[in-house]
C-alpha cells in the first residue's frame, strides 16, 4: 500500500515502538552528559583532544549523518486514511516513520522485480503485448526508473550527466554558503578580519579541524543532492527481488544498525557497572558470586547463547500473537530482545575490567579516608568510584559499537538476527547470497549493503580510536 | 602444579552446572514442552494427541525438575532436566530429535572442523605476528601509519563480505578452487580447505595485527630493550630475541580469547563452504530448533573454553619462569 503524499499532519496518530522510547532516552542521556561534561574541566580536556583530531572529526560528522537518519526513522506514526461520517478517523494499519515521509518517492517507486542501477528496463524478460495485439518477449520498461525519458537508450547518459552536474553545482553553492557563514561566525567570535579567518580555515591552520570537517560535510551534501536529483528519476542502487529501491532499503537499515550498536550497551550498562564495582569494592562472597556469574556466562559461546535465546523468543512470539498487534511491533520486540541478549553476552568483559579497577581504587587514600570517616558504601561508590571508572566505560562502549553492528549481519545469516521483515544490512546480505548464484548475477544489493555498513563501521572505528587515545590514562601519559 | 590443575578442574564443575541450568531455564522459562511440540509439528498437524505423541517420542513427557510420582532418587532422575542435561557431564549427549546419536555425530564432525580451524588459527597467528613485528620495526614511519590505517579498514569489513567476495573471485570467476564442499580423502581435501583458510586469515588480519602491534610497542618501551640496544645488538635481534620472547604472555592471553571465537568463526565458515563440521551441525540444529543438539553444543563449547583457560595458565609457566601456579 502506498502512503499518499498529502495527509493532514495534525491528524496523524503517534505510534511509538519500544526501541523508539529507548532511543529517545538515550538521546536525552547523551544531551545531559554533554551539558555535564562542558562544565567539568577534567571531562572537557580529553574531549577537546578528540575534537582537535582531523580524522576523528570527519568520522564524527559521518556518524552524525547516520544518526540523523536513524532518528528521523525512529519517529513513528499512523497515517489517517479517511474521515468517517461520525467524525472518527480511520488510520492505516501500517506504521510509517518521518523518514519514510521525507524519502517518499524512494519508498513508493517499487518496480516489479530486479533492475540494475540506473536501469530503464527490468532485469528479466517478460511477454509484452504489442499495440497490434501480438506478443513479444523482451525486457519491459520500468514503471519509475528512467520513466521520464522517451528514448532512454540515447538520452540516459546525457540526462545522468546533466543531473549530476546540477547536483555538483548545488553542493558547491551550499558548501560555499556554509563555509562563509561559518567563517563569519568565527570572525565575530575571534575578532579577526574575515579574510584571515577564512584563510586559516581553508589552509587547515585552525585548532578545530574546520577544513576536514567542511570537506566531509561537502561530500555528504554531494551524496544527498545527487540522491535527490537522481534518486527520484532512477534507482541509483537498483531494485531488489520485489522491486523495492535498494537505496531506500540501505537507508532504512541504518536505524537497525544503530539500535543494535547503541541500545545493546545501554541495556546492559547499569548491570555491568554496578556488579563490576560491587565485586571489586566489597570483595568476599559478593565478589565470588559475581565472578561466578560472569565466568559462567562468558564460558558459553556467544553465538550459541544468542541463537538459543532468539529461538525461545521466537516460540514465545508465536504462542502469544495477541501481544503484538502489527508486524512492525513483532519485529521491534525481537530487535529489543536481540539487543538484550547481545548485551548479556557482552557485559562480562566490561564487568571484569571494572572489577579490576575497583579493586585497585579501593586501596586509594581518598577512599580509605572516606571509609575511616564512616561514609556509607553506597555513597563512596557513587561519589568516588563511579566517576573514576567512567573512562573505562566510555572506551568500552565506543569500541564495542562497531563490533555489534558487524555481529548483526552475522546473526542474520545464522537465522537468529533481526526479524526477516525488518530492514537490515544483515538481511540484505543474507538474501544476496541467493542472488549471487543467479545467472547473470545480481550484485547491487550486496554492494549497497557493503558500502553503507563499511562507512558506518569505519567511521565508528576511527572515532573510537580517538576516544580511546584521549581517555585511556596509559596512552595519555606516554 | 598438579594440585593446581586438579583444583582448576574442580572449579570448572560449578561453572558447567551453571551453564547447564542457564540453558535449561532459557528454554523452559517461557516455553513449555507443549509449545516446543507445536513449533516442531508445524501449524497443520497440531492436535492434542500429536503433541502428546511428539513429547513421548522425544522424551519431553516428564516433569521439568521434580517428579512427584516417583520415589527416592528417581524423583530427581526421571525428569527432563536429568535426562537432557545432567548426563552431559559424563559426555552422554543422548539422541537428537531425529533419533541420531549426538555423541557419534560430534565424534565424526570434529575432524573436518579441526582440519579447517587449526590451519586457519596457526597461519593466522604467524601472519599476524610477522606483520605486526614489521610494523613495530618501522614504528612511527609511513609504513607503520599506513599499516595501522589499513588495519582499521580491514577490520571494518564484515566477515560475510570476505567469504562472499572470496568465493566469488576465487571460486566462480577465476575457477582456482571449488566454491564449496569437502572430502574425507586427505590430499583431495586440501583443495577444499585452501579458500576457507585464506579467507579466515585475511578476515583476521586487521584486528590481529593491531592487537599484536600494541603488545610489541608496549614491550619495546621497556628498559631491558634499551639496555639490549645499548649493548649494540641490532634492532632485528632485539625484536626477535628479546621482545618476541617477553611478549609471549600477553600473546598467549590473546590466543585464549580467540579459542571460543574460533568456534563462532567456524560456525559461519563451515556452513558457507558446506564443510560437515561442528559449526554447520550447530547451525542446522538451530534452524531445525533441535534443543538437544544446541544444548550439547553449548556444553561442549563451555568445556572447550574452560580447558583453554587452564591451558593458558599452564603455558604461562612454560614461557615465563617468574609465574608460578599455586
Amino acid at each position: 500500500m502506498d502512503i499518499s503524499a498529502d495527509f493532514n499532519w495534525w491528524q496523524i496518530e503517534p505510534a511509538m515502538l519500544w526501541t523508539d522510547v529507548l532511543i529517545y532516552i538515550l538521546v536525552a542521556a547523551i544531551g545531559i552528559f554533554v551539558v555535564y561534561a562542558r562544565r567539568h574541566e577534567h571531562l572537557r580536556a580529553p574531549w577537546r583532544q578528540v575534537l582537535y583530531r582531523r580524522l576523528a572529526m570527519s568520522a564524527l560528522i559521518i556518524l552524525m549523518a547516520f544518526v540523523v537518519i536513524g532518528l528521523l526513522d525512529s519517529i513513528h506514526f499512523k497515517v489517517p486514511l479517511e474521515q468517517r461520517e461520525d467524525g472518527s478517523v480511520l488510520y492505516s494499519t501500517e506504521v510509517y516513520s518521518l523518514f519514510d515521509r521525507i524519502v517518499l518517492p524512494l519508498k513508493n517507486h517499487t518496480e516489479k522485480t530486479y533492475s540494475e542501477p540506473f536501469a530503464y528496463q527490468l532485469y528479466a524478460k517478460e511477454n509484452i503485448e504489442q499495440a497490434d495485439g501480438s506478443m513479444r518477449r523482451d525486457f519491459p520498461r520500468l514503471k519509475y526508473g528512467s520513466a521520464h525519458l522517451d528514448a532512454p537508450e540515447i538520452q540516459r547518459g546525457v540526462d545522468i550527466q546533466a543531473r549530476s552536474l546540477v547536483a555538483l553545482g548545488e553542493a558547491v553553492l551550499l558548501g560555499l554558503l556554509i563555509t562563509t557563514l561559518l567563517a563569519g561566525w568565527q570572525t565575530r567570535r575571534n575578532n579577526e578580519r574575515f579574510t584571515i579567518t577564512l584563510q586559516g580555515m581553508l589552509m587547515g591552520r585552525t585548532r578545530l579541524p574546520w577544513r576536514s570537517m567542511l570537506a566531509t560535510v561537502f561530500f555528504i551534501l554531494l551524496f544527498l543532492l545527487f540522491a535527490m536529483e537522481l534518486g527520484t528519476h532512477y534507482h541509483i542502487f537498483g531494485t531488489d527481488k520485489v522491486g523495492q529501491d535498494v537505496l531506500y532499503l540501505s537507508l532504512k537499515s541504518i536505524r537497525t544498525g544503530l539500535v543494535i550498536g547503541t541500545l545493546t550497551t545501554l541495556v546492559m550498562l547499569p548491570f555491568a557497572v554496578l556488579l563490576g564495582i560491587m565485586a571489586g569494592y566489597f570483595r568476599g562472597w559478593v565478589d565470588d558470586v559475581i565472578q561466578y556469574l560472569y565466568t559462567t556466562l562468558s564460558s558459553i559461546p556467544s553465538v550459541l547463547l544468542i541463537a538459543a535465546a532468539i529461538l525461545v523468543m521466537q516460540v514465545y512470539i508465536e504462542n502469544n500473537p495477541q501481544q503484538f498487534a502489527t508486524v512492525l511491533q513483532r519485529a521491534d520486540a525481537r530487535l529489543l530482545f536481540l539487543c538484550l541478549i547481545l548485551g548479556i553476552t557482552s557485559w562480562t568483559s566490561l564487568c571484569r575490567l571494572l572489577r579490576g579497577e575497583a579493586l585497585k581504587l579501593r586501596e586509594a587514600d581518598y577512599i580509605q579516608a572516606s571509609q575511616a570517616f564512616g561514609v556509607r558504601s553506597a555513597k563512596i561508590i557513587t561519589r568516588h568510584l563511579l566517576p573514576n571508572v567512567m573512562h573505562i566505560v566510555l572506551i568500552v562502549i565506543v569500541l564495542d559499537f562497531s563490533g555489534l553492528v558487524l555481529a548483526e549481519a552475522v546473526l542474520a545469516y545464522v537465522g537468529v538476527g533481526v526479524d526477516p521483515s525488518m530492514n537490515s544490512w544483515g538481511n540484505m546480505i543474507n538474501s544476496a547470497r541467493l542472488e549471487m548464484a543467479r545467472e547473470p548475477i545480481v550484485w547491487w544489493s550486496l554492494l549497497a549493503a557493503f558500502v553503507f555498513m563499511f562507512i558506518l563501521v569505519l567511521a565508528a572505528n576511527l572515532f573510537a580510536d580517538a576516544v580511546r587515545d584521549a581517555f585511556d590514562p596509559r596512552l595519555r601519559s606516554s | 602444579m598438579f594440585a593446581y590443575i586438579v583444583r582448576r578442574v574442580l572449579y570448572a564443575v560449578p561453572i558447567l552446572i551453571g551453564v547447564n541450568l542457564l540453558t535449561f531455564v532459557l528454554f523452559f522459562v517461557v516455553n513449555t514442552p507443549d509449545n516446543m511440540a507445536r513449533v516442531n509439528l508445524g501449524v497443520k498437524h497440531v492436535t492434542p494427541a500429536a503433541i502428546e505423541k511428539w513429547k513421548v517420542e522425544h522424551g519431553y513427557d516428564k516433569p521439568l525438575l521434580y517428579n512427584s510420582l516417583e520415589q527416592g532418587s528417581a524423583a530427581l532422575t526421571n525428569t527432563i532436566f536429568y535426562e537432557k542435561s545432567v548426563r552431559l557431564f559424563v559426555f552422554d549427549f543422548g539422541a537428537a530429535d531425529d533419533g541420531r546419536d549426538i555423541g557419534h555425530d560430534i565424534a565424526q564432525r570434529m575432524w573436518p572442523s579441526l582440519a579447517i580451524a587449526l590451519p586457519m588459527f596457526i597461519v593466522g597467528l604467524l601472519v599476524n605476528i610477522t606483520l605486526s613485528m614489521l610494523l613495530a620495526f618501522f614504528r612511527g614511519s609511513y609504513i607503520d601509519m599506513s599499516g595501522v590505517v589499513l588495519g582499521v579498514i580491514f577490520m571494518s569489513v564484515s566477515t560475510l563480505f570476505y567469504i562472499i567476495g572470496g568465493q566469488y573471485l576465487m571460486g566462480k570467476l577465476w575457477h582456482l578452487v571449488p566454491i564449496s564442499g569437502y572430502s574425507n580423502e586427505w590430499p583431495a581435501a586440501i583443495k577444499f580447505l585452501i579458500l576457507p583458510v585464506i579467507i579466515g586469515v585475511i578476515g583476521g588480519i586487521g584486528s590481529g595485527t593491531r592487537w599484536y602491534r600494541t603488545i610489541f610497542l608496549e614491550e619495546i618501551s621497556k628498559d631491558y630493550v634499551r639496555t639490549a640496544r645499548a649493548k649494540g645488538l641490532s634492532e632485528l635481534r632485539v625484536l626477535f630475541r628479546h621482545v618476541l620472547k617477553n611478549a609471549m604472555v600477553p600473546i598467549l592471553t590473546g590466543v585464549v580469547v580467540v579459542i571460543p571465537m574460533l568456534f563462532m568463526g567456524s560456525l559461519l565458515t563451515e556452513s558457507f563452504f558446506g564443510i560437515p563440521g561442528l559449526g554447520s551441525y550447530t547451525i542446522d540444529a538451530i534452524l531445525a530448533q533441535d534443543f538437544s543438539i544446541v544444548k550439547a553444543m553449548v556444553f561442549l563449547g563451555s568445556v572447550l573454553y574452560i580447558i583453554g583457560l587452564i591451558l593458558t595458565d599452564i603455558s604461562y609457566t612454560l614461557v615465563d619462569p617468574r609465574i608460578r601456579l599455586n
Side-chain angles (χ1 to χ4, degrees):
Chain A
M1 183 171 49
D2 277 3
I3 163 178
S4 65
D6 47 331
F7 50 79
N8 289 329
W9 276 99
W10 57 87
Q11 272 189 336
I12 57 164
E13 190 182 67
M16 224 183 263
L17 299 173
W18 274 107
T19 45
D20 291 343
V21 177
L22 286 172
I23 288 170
Y24 302 153
I25 294 175
L26 184 71
V27 172
I30 292 175
I32 292 170
F33 176 75
V34 170
V35 173
Y36 179 81
R38 281 177 70 98
R39 293 206 193 126
H40 292 78
E41 180 52 33
H42 69 281
L43 287 171
R44 278 175 67 176
W47 276 117
R48 214 178 288 133
Q49 203 182 320
V50 175
L51 293 183
Y52 293 160
R53 295 250 306 238
R54 278 181 304 170
L55 218 51
M57 286 316 280
S58 294
L60 182 64
I61 288 176
I62 293 172
L63 284 177
M64 291 317 276
F66 274 81
V67 167
V68 167
I69 294 176
L71 285 179
L72 287 175
D73 207 8
S74 297
I75 301 170
H76 287 97
F77 54 84
K78 287 181 176 176
V79 182
L81 290 180
E82 58 174 306
Q83 184 107 26
R84 288 213 202 87
E85 306 266 304
D86 57 350
S88 65
V89 181
L90 181 71
Y91 288 101
S92 61
T93 48
E94 211 178 322
V95 177
Y96 298 99
S97 72
L98 196 56
F99 178 73
D100 286 333
R101 176 64 192 85
I102 293 170
V103 296
L104 205 60
L106 286 183
K107 182 178 166 59
N108 284 344
H109 288 189
T110 47
E111 307 289 347
K112 203 164 176 187
T113 180
Y114 294 117
S115 69
E116 266 185 301
F118 295 107
Y120 56 90
Q121 288 176 322
L122 269 189
Y123 205 51
K125 278 192 176 173
E126 268 185 13
N127 291 324
I128 306 168
E129 203 178 321
Q130 303 282 99
D132 57 1
S134 64
M135 294 294 255
R136 181 171 58 96
R137 200 160 169 75
D138 199 3
F139 299 101
R141 276 290 294 272
L142 295 180
K143 256 198 298 184
Y144 299 99
S146 320
H148 62 295
L149 302 176
D150 299 324
E153 51 280 12
I154 320 163
Q155 298 167 337
R156 190 176 53 159
V158 182
D159 188 56
I160 292 175
Q161 276 173 16
R163 284 175 193 276
S164 308
L165 275 177
V166 172
L168 183 69
E170 286 171 342
V172 169
L173 276 179
L174 255 176
L176 284 178
L177 185 71
I178 292 175
T179 313
T180 321
L181 284 176
L182 206 68
W185 174 55
Q186 285 290 308
T187 312
R188 279 187 56 184
R189 243 185 110 190
N190 301 345
N191 265 329
E192 293 173 327
R193 290 232 325 268
F194 180 78
T195 43
I196 291 180
T197 319
L198 192 67
Q199 217 176 25
M201 265 163 70
L202 295 182
M203 304 289 278
R205 281 199 300 252
T206 44
R207 277 208 301 175
L208 261 178
W210 285 119
R211 187 172 58 168
S212 311
M213 286 156 74
L214 282 170
T216 317
V217 170
F218 174 75
F219 279 113
I220 292 174
L221 277 177
L222 190 64
F223 173 77
L224 213 67
L225 291 163
F226 187 74
M228 274 165 67
E229 286 292 334
L230 283 144
T232 44
H233 294 89
Y234 297 93
H235 298 290
I236 297 180
F237 282 121
T239 53
D240 75 345
K241 193 174 181 179
V242 291
Q244 280 188 293
D245 191 283
V246 171
L247 176 64
Y248 172 72
L249 296 179
S250 319
L251 290 171
K252 284 287 274 187
S253 303
I254 289 176
R255 178 177 185 270
T256 314
L258 290 178
V259 165
I260 298 242
T262 52
L263 287 193
T264 300
T265 27
L266 183 79
V267 167
M268 278 331 272
L269 202 57
F271 298 95
V273 173
L274 200 68
L275 291 180
I277 291 180
M278 272 167 65
Y281 181 76
F282 291 115
R283 300 197 293 199
W285 67 269
V286 179
D287 190 19
D288 289 339
V289 170
I290 293 171
Q291 270 200 69
Y292 171 72
L293 211 68
Y294 70 61
T295 321
T296 306
L297 269 177
S298 63
S299 65
I300 301 178
S302 55
V303 179
L304 291 183
L305 188 63
I306 293 164
I310 290 291
L311 276 189
V312 168
M313 180 66 182
Q314 194 60 28
V315 175
Y316 180 80
I317 291 178
E318 272 165 37
N319 285 321
N320 300 281
Q322 71 281 0
Q323 290 180 19
F324 310 98
T326 59
V327 182
L328 191 64
Q329 271 175 345
R330 260 176 88 129
D332 189 65
R334 184 162 159 175
L335 177 66
L336 189 60
F337 189 73
L338 186 67
C339 289
L340 200 74
I341 192 71
L342 272 171
I344 289 177
T345 56
S346 62
W347 70 286
T348 50
S349 56
L350 177 61
C351 191
R352 186 175 293 152
L353 279 175
L354 290 178
R355 174 182 168 269
E357 192 69 14
L359 271 177
K360 203 174 74 191
L361 282 177
R362 81 186 297 279
E363 305 301 330
D365 289 340
Y366 61 95
I367 290 186
Q368 299 273 326
S370 317
Q371 280 173 334
F373 279 125
V375 180
R376 281 184 305 126
S377 296
K379 198 158 186 183
I380 295 181
I381 287 180
T382 49
R383 291 298 280 280
H384 298 308
L385 280 173
L386 207 54
N388 281 306
V389 296
M390 268 337 247
H391 66 277
I392 298 183
V393 176
L394 193 76
I395 292 169
V396 170
I397 291 178
V398 291
L399 284 182
D400 276 359
F401 174 82
S402 50
L404 288 166
V405 176
L406 291 176
E408 185 270 321
V410 171
L411 291 175
Y413 171 74
V414 184
V416 294
V418 297
D419 196 83
S421 72
M422 185 165 252
N423 298 118
S424 85
W425 293 313
N427 283 338
M428 283 173 79
I429 299 167
N430 201 8
S431 56
R433 288 198 317 129
L434 300 172
E435 293 162 1
M436 294 291 282
R438 274 177 61 107
E439 202 61 55
I441 67 159
V442 173
W443 44 270
W444 45 89
S445 322
L446 187 70
L447 185 75
F450 171 77
V451 168
F452 276 89
M453 203 165 149
F454 178 68
I455 293 175
L456 175 64
V457 173
L458 185 64
N461 274 336
L462 291 173
F463 186 67
D465 264 2
V467 171
R468 193 186 44 187
D469 287 353
F471 278 88
D472 199 334
R474 278 186 312 159
L475 294 172
R476 225 186 309 173
S477 57
S478 61
Chain B
M1 176 100 157
F2 180 71
Y4 174 82
I5 295 173
V6 169
R7 210 170 64 224
R8 282 294 300 266
V9 172
L10 286 180
Y11 273 143
V13 174
I15 291 175
L16 289 175
I17 293 176
V19 169
N20 250 324
L21 261 175
L22 193 79
T23 27
F24 187 78
V25 169
L26 203 64
F27 258 84
F28 291 106
V29 75
V30 286
N31 298 307
T32 58
D34 283 22
N35 293 339
M36 282 177 65
R38 236 169 261 143
V39 169
N40 264 293
L41 289 169
V43 186
K44 285 181 203 156
H45 313 285
V46 178
T47 57
I51 289 177
E52 212 45 51
K53 185 162 163 272
W54 187 90
K55 276 161 64 185
V56 173
E57 268 171 17
H58 295 95
Y60 291 109
D61 55 334
K62 299 179 176 110
L64 285 181
L65 284 170
Y66 185 80
N67 193 339
S68 52
L69 298 173
E70 298 280 345
Q71 307 283 308
S73 66
L76 290 174
T77 54
N78 202 8
T79 56
I80 296 181
F81 181 67
Y82 185 84
E83 294 269 304
K84 298 274 173 192
S85 297
V86 180
R87 280 193 190 167
L88 290 176
F89 281 92
V90 287
F91 292 95
D92 173 7
F93 296 111
D97 282 354
D98 60 0
R100 293 169 60 96
D101 181 31
I102 298 178
H104 179 255
D105 275 356
I106 290 178
Q108 281 219 316
R109 287 171 162 264
M110 209 171 82
W111 302 110
S113 277
L114 278 178
I116 188 163
L118 268 184
M120 203 191 281
F121 181 59
I122 294 168
V123 176
L125 205 63
L126 287 177
V127 169
N128 289 343
I129 290 184
T130 322
L131 282 178
S132 50
M133 290 282 265
L134 213 69
L135 294 187
F137 182 73
F138 290 109
R139 63 191 166 277
S141 70
Y142 274 106
I143 297 178
D144 181 27
M145 263 161 60
S146 40
V148 172
V149 172
L150 268 179
V152 179
I153 291 175
F154 267 73
M155 269 168 68
S156 307
V157 178
S158 167
T159 334
L160 291 168
F161 288 113
Y162 286 120
I163 297 178
I164 297 175
Q167 274 186 332
Y168 180 72
L169 282 182
M170 289 184 68
K172 204 169 169 187
L173 216 58
W174 299 336
H175 296 288
L176 290 176
V177 284
I179 292 180
S180 66
Y182 188 72
S183 160
N184 275 321
E185 308 292 315
W186 242 107
I190 293 177
K191 72 169 189 253
F192 290 106
L193 292 179
I194 292 176
L195 184 58
V197 168
I198 291 179
I199 289 173
V201 170
I202 292 178
I205 278 186
S207 52
T209 309
R210 222 169 120 89
W211 164 252
Y212 293 122
R213 177 181 166 273
T214 339
I215 293 176
F216 289 136
L217 286 187
E218 199 159 304
E219 206 60 39
I220 281 176
S221 64
K222 287 187 179 156
D223 285 341
Y224 74 89
V225 177
R226 200 178 310 148
T227 317
R229 283 209 202 102
K231 279 197 307 190
L233 293 184
S234 72
E235 184 69 25
L236 273 179
R237 217 182 151 93
V238 171
L239 269 178
F240 280 92
R241 278 285 175 77
H242 295 69
V243 173
L244 186 59
K245 201 167 136 198
N246 284 293
M248 270 333 256
V249 167
I251 288 177
L252 280 172
T253 319
V255 165
V256 174
V257 177
V258 171
I259 286 175
M261 305 266 254
L262 215 72
F263 204 78
M264 172 177 167
S266 63
L267 213 73
L268 266 190
T269 324
E270 282 177 16
S271 79
F272 255 102
F273 289 98
I275 291 161
L278 290 176
S280 51
Y281 187 54
T282 317
I283 287 205
D284 294 345
I286 290 169
L287 296 178
Q289 307 217 338
D290 192 322
F291 173 60
S292 313
I293 298 179
V294 172
K295 202 159 172 49
M297 295 311 291
V298 168
F299 184 78
L300 198 67
S302 324
V303 171
L304 287 177
Y305 179 79
I306 291 167
I307 292 177
L309 282 184
I310 299 176
L311 282 182
T312 341
D313 282 356
I314 297 172
S315 54
Y316 280 173
T317 57
L318 300 180
V319 293
D320 190 343
R322 284 173 306 181
I323 298 173
R324 288 231 171 72
L325 303 175
N326 49 46

